[in-house]
Structure formats: structure tokens, C-alpha cells
Amino acid sequence: MDKKITINDIAAKAGVSKTTISRYLNDKFDNMSKTTKVRIEQTIAELDYRPNRQAQALKARNSFLIGVSVADISNMYTSRLLKGIGDYFQNTHYQVLIMDADDNVDRELSNLEKMMTEQVDGIILQPLVHQPDHYQFLIDQKTPVVQVDRYTEPFTWPAVVSDNFQKSVDLAKILKAKQYDTIIVLANRITGVSSRMNRYNGLKAGLTGSQITVHLIEIDDFNWQSQLKKTIVSYNRTAIFALNGQVLWSAVRFLKTHQLRIPEDIGLIGYDDDQFADMISPAITSISQNPQEIGRTAAEKLNMIMTEHALLPKNIRIPSTLQLRDSL
Amino acid sequence: MDKKITINDIAAKAGVSKTTISRYLNDKFDNMSKTTKVRIEQTIAELDYRPNRQAQALKARNSFLIGVSVADISNMYTSRLLKGIGDYFQNTHYQVLIMDADDNVDRELSNLEKMMTEQVDGIILQPLVHQPDHYQFLIDQKTPVVQVDRYTEPFTWPAVVSDNFQKSVDLAKILKAKQYDTIIVLANRITGVSSRMNRYNGLKAGLTGSQITVHLIEIDDFNWQSQLKKTIVSYNRTAIFALNGQVLWSAVRFLKTHQLRIPEDIGLIGYDDDQFADMISPAITSISQNPQEIGRTAAEKLNMIMTEHALLPKNIRIPSTLQLRDSL
DNA sequence: TTGAAAGCGCTAACAC
DNA sequence: GTGTTAGCGCTTTCAA
């Protein structure tokens, strides 16, 4: 690698002091002669000089780095979330440092530690843990944080989330109208994940007063398949509510394996993955979130906190939409 | 935000010079008294001090930052690629700066410029453009680069890719055995994208000597649907070869809309998205890549170049697998 | 076993 | 209109 060109090289070559170069770099042309400006411009172009961001950051005492901690980078929800975040920061002077917790609490913590040593100016966090004191060091450092998809409780940082509870209440109405007697909620471990809890609790809330029973089955349990089978055979009209895209596809695969017909033998409704949900027969009724908008909004809010010390509401809810198709 | 704790604060509180603190931070305990070490340890814990990476980077003259430029962050291939890259660098002292070109050449260039000002130590690039001189400034700066998924030509940087050409040759054999008379290759614009070119050319190469004709239809063309329809009706036994996951699903949707049965009316084979490919009826035969391994390997190779100035082969091919299902 | 001092690339207060 | 100088937080040489 060549020796890097620095501000001193430019100053020497252009025959001015580095202060003047710095002024040029920061658009302070008020008191700069046309000739100087042009000469600096040429020199920079000639030497293909780029100011060193580390040095600028050191001086400015902030890094212009944003940390983004996601639960698992390898699913569609996350991809679209990151698209939204990236689109927003694209037009700012912030760079985005994305870290994947891989659904591992220790790794998440280690990632957040790394972000702190990188001096990130703010963090967008999809928390793995529900208790905010787990993130005590972030609180202590007073780092600006915006949560996405889920939140910790009691309130610590604002969160941009889907309208999970309300949409499940809406869903409950439909389920009642369709005369189901049992709903099986199929999910990853829901304890401590606010989005999943809200979907589950919303459904139960919407169902109160009806005769419909709700069973929760977590696919992290080794015997979820036998649990599921047992529950299905015990009731007449059953529907499965799959709390996210990956679980939805596990459910579809399960029903296919056991040759259960949708919706004749069993109803099915899922979250996410709507681009595939209408691809199979029958098309799956699903609740479609807007992760890109969640990401964009979270980025915008974080920027507001960082630049204007804005005070935000606890929750900002981005609407999702219930896509009625043929599986209920 | 509180005043940040610096090495000086620790030095003052621990009653030693910052040199000693620096030694502690860099594990240089050879000549350090036990007492000093313990006192420093306590002071750091007490003040919750974290060394400033910008300052370290400035001094060390490298940033320990890796730039990753992806064509489009919002698809499964990319997610899994990033998972692999992240997993590798997780255990190093490098951080990963991911930037999304959003399939936009200008934005890609702007992203790469930003990476350079961030002083990244190396770049993993999924190039949008085939001509290396488009990336001339990276060449001039002698930045270590490893390409993924695609490559520029003539040779400039090593690339970690799927065995695209060979797998298409294999596919051609199957297509011949199944007595198709026409293959429609459905793709995004293939010019300048080496992976797509290799899939297309591999198919043609494998088909030479047979009577089978090959049609290329690019779904970026506004009238691709009518082109596709026209081509299908002109032949007897036609199969569609969809060159990536997104195109595959466009094809499935098209066939569904036009009520064409797979494989009776038309054969179908696709790339990627194998987790959904066996979900629909009939299950779709597809070529399944290993993007996570591509990412991991690229990261590893880049690290080798950066640390040992390793010389790498032009191409490192990660095997993909042909998943025979029911759509041919 | 430890410290003083210089310097990484940049910015900004102050001077002229 | 431009330059001198100090300093951001850290590492490292040289000296003690």
C-alpha cells in the first residue's frame, strides 16, 4: 500500500498551511482567495486526497458511526429493516456498523461492547433481552438508543414497532366469525420478546368472551410437532397462528407432511413473508409488516435524538396489514 | 452525554503515567509490577473505561474496518452472504461496514468513496460493473479487495463465486435427457454480471450438439411477459431456467396467472430460494448456492491478503448443488 | 519497572 | 486572506 496522502502533503504541494486546507475541506470559503481555492482544488484532485475520518472523528469527539444490532441478519425481516436504515443514513454523514447477534445473548453483548469502543454516536437495537438492566452499560454511558421490532420494559428507550397487539385483536374478530373453536399459536420462545407477547396477548384479548381456546406451542420445544398433532386431533375447528415468517413455513411444512388440508382440515394464518404467502395453494392469509419503514423511521428518530436531543414517545407504531387470502 | 473517560483519566486515577496504561491495554505485562497491574485493572473497571478506537486507529495507521459493498441488501442471498462474513470477522479485531448499492451504480461508487475516507483496511465487493477501470481509484489506492458472487474482467482482484458454469453444464444434460426442445433463460439483465453470464453460457455450452434452442428473456424488459408467452406457445416442450431466486418467483407467478401447469405444460428450474422451492406444488427443481460459505471464504481470503499479503487464485469456486424435484 | 515526549491527521482559537 | 499553535486519545521510542 502506498503511503497515504495527508493534509500535510496537500498543504506542502499547494504551498499553503494545513489550516487553509482544513478550511477548504469544511467549506469555509468566506475569506479565501479564488486562486488559493482553485489551487487547493487542483492539488486534491491531482493527489487523489481523501481526508482521514478517524482523525476528523478524534478531533470532533464523535465518530459519525451508528451501530445497528440485529437479532439475526439472515432473514427477510432483517434485510428489509436494514434497507430502510441504510436508505435513511445514505444521505447523511453517518456510516452504519451492522452487527449480527445471531440470536445469541452473549454475542449481542459483545457486539454492543465493540460498538462502544468504536465510539458509535447512536445505536439501533433489536433487543434479545427484555430487561433493560441487561444493557446497563448503555444506559450508564447515556448512548442514544432507538429500539426496533421489540422493546425492553420498564421503559428505557423509544421503540419503533409494528402494531402487533391491535392487529391480533382484529384477527381475533375474523377467527370468531369463522367459527373456530381452537387457535394454536405457534411461535419461537415468546417470553421476553415484546412483539411476540403482544401478538399472543392481542389475540387472547380479542377472544375474551368467546368460547375459543388458545394453545401456545413453542417450536423451540423438541416435541413441538407431537404437541401440535395432539392438539389438532383434540378439537374440531382449529387454526394455527404462526407468529413469524420462519414459523409459518415450519407450519406449512408440518401440515404438508401430515397431509392436513388447508383450510378444510385446519386454518392457517401467518406473519410476514407475504411475497411467498400468495405463491402456494391455497394462498396463506397473513399479517404483513413494513420492516423497511420501521428501519427508516428508527433511523430518523435516532438522528433527531442525536442532533436535537428530541424527546420521543415510548412507542412509535408502524401499521401492518392483514392480507386476507384463502387459508382460513 | 457524559464526558468520555480517556486514558488520561485512568492514568491520573491510578497514579501512573498513560504509557503504563497503554502497556496494560496492549497486554505488555512483561515488566509490570503486580500491584500496578491490579490497580489499573480496578481503575478501568471502576470508571468503565473503553479505549477509543479512532485514536488507536489513527496511531496504528489502519482502521480495523472492513468495507462490504453488496448489490442489494434486501434479498436472501445477500443476508446469508453477510451472515458468513460476519461470522468470520466476529472473532477478529475487525469491524464490518456494510453498504448497500441498491443496484445503483452511482450509489455503489459513492459508497466505495465513503469506505475509502473511512480508511477501511480491505473491501469485499459484489461488483455492479464488469469493467475494473470503473473501480480505478480502488486499484490506485492498492486497497485489498476480494470480490464475491461476480467478478470484473480482465482480472484485477480474486473472486469467491459459485460454480455457475459447471452447474449449468450439468443442468443441460438433464434437460437433454428430458427431451425439451426449448429452454427459456429468464434473468435480470445479464450483460456485465459474470455469474449470470456463466449460468447462461454454461447452459449453451452443455447444449451444443443438441437440437435444443435457447432463448434469453430479461425481466427488466417492459414486455418480458408477452415475450415469454409468445415463446412458450411457439414450441412443444419448453422449460424455463430462472437465473436467480427473485426471477424464479416471478416465473412461478407468471405460470400461475396463465394457468400453465408445471411440469406438464412447461418445465421450471430455478436458482436459490431452495427453502421455498420445495414448499409449493410441484416442488421446484433448483440449484442451491451456499452464500454463507462464499461470505465466510471471502472474509478469510481478505484477511489473508491483509495480514500475509497472500497471493490468491483468480477464482475460488464454492460448490452449489442441483436439487432435483418435480418441476422438470 | 516506569515515565516524558513526540507524533498519528485533523480542527479551531487566536494572531497577524 | 492566511498561518501558528495546541490538542483530540492513543502508542512508542528513548531514557531513567
Side-chain angles (χ1 to χ4, degrees):
Chain A
M1 190 125 1
D2 289 4
K3 190 185 151 305
K4 290 252 160 92
I5 307 291
T6 78
I7 199 172
N8 289 307
D9 301 322
I10 304 297
K13 187 114 197 264
V16 293
S17 79
K18 57 181 183 169
T19 309
T20 308
I21 308 296
S22 175
R23 289 201 183 98
Y24 175 91
L25 294 175
N26 294 282
D27 292 340
K28 293 175 181 165
F29 301 127
D30 284 4
N31 289 316
M32 194 179 298
S33 71
K34 186 84 184 167
T35 33
T36 314
K37 183 173 167 183
V38 170
R39 201 168 48 230
I40 294 177
E41 193 170 349
Q42 285 171 349
T43 315
I44 287 179
E46 202 175 323
L47 267 50
D48 197 18
Y49 163 72
R50 265 169 274 265
N52 180 325
R53 280 296 302 278
Q54 329 286 330
Q56 291 181 318
L58 183 59
K59 188 74 213 182
R61 301 159 124 284
N62 53 20
S63 64
F64 298 106
L65 242 35
I66 302 298
V68 176
S69 172
V70 297
D72 173 18
I73 203 173
S74 69
N75 68 54
M76 288 293 283
Y77 179 91
T78 309
S79 312
R80 297 166 62 197
L81 185 78
L82 293 176
K83 174 72 89 178
I85 295 172
D87 281 354
Y88 180 84
F89 284 118
Q90 173 71 12
N91 302 312
T92 69
H93 46 305
Y94 288 104
Q95 306 304 326
V96 178
L97 215 49
I98 298 165
M99 303 211 183
D100 175 21
D102 202 27
D103 279 327
N104 175 330
V105 172
D106 294 333
R107 181 155 162 187
E108 178 189 58
L109 224 43
S110 146
N111 285 346
L112 292 171
E113 286 281 357
K114 286 181 181 173
M115 287 181 189
M116 296 312 292
T117 78
E118 294 295 339
Q119 317 291 120
V120 294
D121 293 340
I123 290 179
I124 294 179
L125 172 65
Q126 182 186 20
L128 251 32
V129 173
H130 194 62
Q131 288 73 31
D133 53 340
H134 181 75
Y135 304 105
Q136 192 59 45
F137 66 106
L138 293 185
I139 303 173
D140 293 343
Q141 305 274 333
K142 302 206 176 64
T143 317
V145 173
V146 171
Q147 299 176 99
V148 283
D149 179 45
R150 318 161 172 184
Y151 46 79
T152 53
E153 279 174 315
F155 174 75
T156 312
W157 302 298
V160 182
V161 295
S162 289
D163 52 347
N164 293 304
F165 191 94
Q166 187 53 50
K167 275 298 173 304
S168 289
V169 171
D170 296 349
L171 172 62
K173 277 193 210 112
I174 295 169
L175 261 8
K176 278 195 275 191
K178 299 254 183 188
Q179 318 250 356
Y180 284 96
D181 62 4
T182 316
I183 311 299
I184 299 169
V185 173
L186 199 60
N188 290 306
R189 183 118 18 251
I190 73 168
T191 321
V193 181
S194 66
S195 48
R196 296 175 193 157
M197 294 293 290
N198 285 333
R199 286 167 202 174
Y200 179 58
N201 292 332
L203 180 74
K204 289 205 293 186
L207 250 28
T208 48
S210 77
Q211 299 300 319
I212 304 176
T213 54
V214 177
H215 295 265
L216 172 66
I217 296 179
E218 294 182 329
I219 67 167
D220 313 84
D221 291 344
F222 75 99
N223 65 339
W224 70 271
Q225 305 214 24
S226 62
Q227 282 184 56
L228 182 53
K229 199 164 181 184
K230 209 180 305 173
T231 314
I232 291 173
V233 297
S234 315
Y235 294 88
N236 280 322
R237 271 185 61 73
T238 309
I240 294 178
F241 179 23
L243 289 201
N244 71 37
Q246 314 214 13
V247 171
L248 172 60
W249 295 107
S250 299
V252 171
R253 190 163 269 126
F254 174 92
L255 297 178
K256 204 178 179 189
T257 313
H258 292 76
Q259 309 205 8
L260 291 160
R261 293 163 307 162
I262 311 170
E264 293 84 351
D265 300 328
I266 188 159
L268 179 62
I269 164 140
Y271 245 93
D272 299 328
D273 274 316
D274 47 302
Q275 65 162 322
F276 297 103
D278 73 334
M279 213 69 283
I280 70 171
S281 300
I284 310 285
T285 290
S286 72
I287 297 174
S288 160
Q289 300 185 78
N290 195 343
Q292 186 162 349
E293 181 59 18
I294 291 178
R296 207 203 55 74
T297 306
E300 182 185 74
K301 298 307 175 191
L302 182 61
N303 198 11
M304 285 171 60
I305 297 177
M306 293 186 307
T307 59
E308 323 157 11
H309 298 274
L311 276 176
L312 264 53
K314 285 167 66 162
N315 283 323
I316 295 162
R317 265 180 275 272
I318 306 296
S320 37
T321 49
L322 190 47
Q323 306 276 6
L324 293 174
R325 288 188 275 248
D326 313 319
S327 65
L328 273 188
Chain B
M1 195 131 353
D2 287 3
K3 190 184 153 304
K4 289 250 160 94
I5 307 290
T6 78
I7 199 174
N8 288 309
D9 301 323
I10 305 297
K13 186 115 197 263
V16 293
S17 78
K18 56 181 184 169
T19 310
T20 307
I21 309 295
S22 176
R23 289 200 184 96
Y24 176 90
L25 294 176
N26 294 282
D27 291 340
K28 293 174 181 165
F29 301 127
D30 285 3
N31 289 315
M32 193 179 299
S33 72
K34 186 83 185 166
T35 32
T36 312
K37 184 174 166 184
V38 170
R39 201 169 47 229
I40 294 177
E41 194 170 348
Q42 285 171 348
T43 316
I44 288 180
E46 201 176 325
L47 266 50
D48 197 18
Y49 164 70
R50 266 168 273 263
N52 181 325
R53 280 296 301 279
Q54 328 285 328
Q56 292 180 317
L58 184 59
K59 189 76 215 185
R61 298 158 126 285
N62 52 20
S63 63
F64 297 105
L65 243 33
I66 303 296
V68 176
S69 171
V70 297
D72 173 19
I73 203 174
S74 69
N75 68 53
M76 287 293 284
Y77 179 91
T78 309
S79 311
R80 295 166 62 198
L81 185 79
L82 293 176
K83 174 73 88 179
I85 295 172
D87 282 353
Y88 181 84
F89 283 119
Q90 172 72 13
N91 303 311
T92 70
H93 46 306
Y94 288 104
Q95 305 306 324
V96 178
L97 214 49
I98 298 165
M99 302 213 184
D100 174 21
D102 202 28
D103 279 326
N104 176 330
V105 173
D106 294 333
R107 181 155 161 186
E108 178 188 57
L109 224 45
S110 146
N111 285 346
L112 292 170
E113 286 281 357
K114 286 181 181 173
M115 287 181 190
M116 297 311 293
T117 77
E118 294 294 338
Q119 316 293 116
V120 294
D121 294 339
I123 290 178
I124 294 180
L125 173 65
Q126 181 185 21
L128 252 31
V129 173
H130 195 59
Q131 289 73 32
D133 53 340
H134 181 75
Y135 304 105
Q136 191 59 46
F137 65 105
L138 293 184
I139 304 173
D140 293 342
Q141 305 273 334
K142 302 205 175 61
T143 317
V145 173
V146 171
Q147 299 175 101
V148 283
D149 179 46
R150 320 161 173 184
Y151 45 79
T152 53
E153 278 175 316
F155 174 76
T156 311
W157 302 297
V160 182
V161 295
S162 289
D163 53 347
N164 294 304
F165 191 94
Q166 187 52 50
K167 274 298 170 306
S168 289
V169 170
D170 297 350
L171 172 62
K173 276 193 210 110
I174 295 169
L175 262 5
K176 278 196 277 194
K178 299 255 183 185
Q179 318 249 356
Y180 284 96
D181 63 2
T182 315
I183 312 297
I184 299 169
V185 173
L186 199 62
N188 290 307
R189 182 117 21 252
I190 73 169
T191 322
V193 180
S194 66
S195 50
R196 296 176 194 157
M197 294 292 290
N198 286 333
R199 287 167 201 174
Y200 180 58
N201 292 330
L203 180 75
K204 289 205 294 186
L207 251 26
T208 49
S210 77
Q211 299 300 317
I212 304 176
T213 54
V214 176
H215 295 264
L216 173 65
I217 296 179
E218 294 181 328
I219 67 167
D220 313 86
D221 291 343
F222 75 100
N223 65 340
W224 70 272
Q225 305 215 24
S226 62
Q227 283 184 56
L228 182 53
K229 200 165 182 183
K230 210 181 303 173
T231 314
I232 291 173
V233 297
S234 316
Y235 295 88
N236 280 321
R237 269 185 63 72
T238 309
I240 294 178
F241 180 22
L243 290 200
N244 70 37
Q246 315 213 11
V247 172
L248 172 60
W249 294 107
S250 299
V252 171
R253 191 162 267 127
F254 174 93
L255 297 177
K256 203 176 179 190
T257 313
H258 291 78
Q259 310 205 6
L260 291 159
R261 291 164 308 162
I262 310 169
E264 294 84 352
D265 299 328
I266 187 158
L268 179 62
I269 165 141
Y271 245 94
D272 299 329
D273 274 315
D274 48 302
Q275 65 162 322
F276 297 104
D278 74 333
M279 210 74 281
I280 69 170
S281 300
I284 309 285
T285 290
S286 73
I287 297 174
S288 159
Q289 301 185 79
N290 195 342
Q292 187 163 348
E293 180 58 19
I294 292 178
R296 208 203 53 75
T297 306
E300 182 185 72
K301 298 307 175 192
L302 181 61
N303 199 11
M304 287 170 61
I305 298 177
M306 293 187 307
T307 59
E308 324 157 12
H309 297 275
L311 275 178
L312 265 53
K314 285 167 63 162
N315 282 323
I316 295 162
R317 264 180 277 272
I318 305 297
S320 37
T321 48
L322 190 46
Q323 306 276 6
L324 293 174
R325 289 188 273 248
D326 313 317
S327 65
L328 274 189

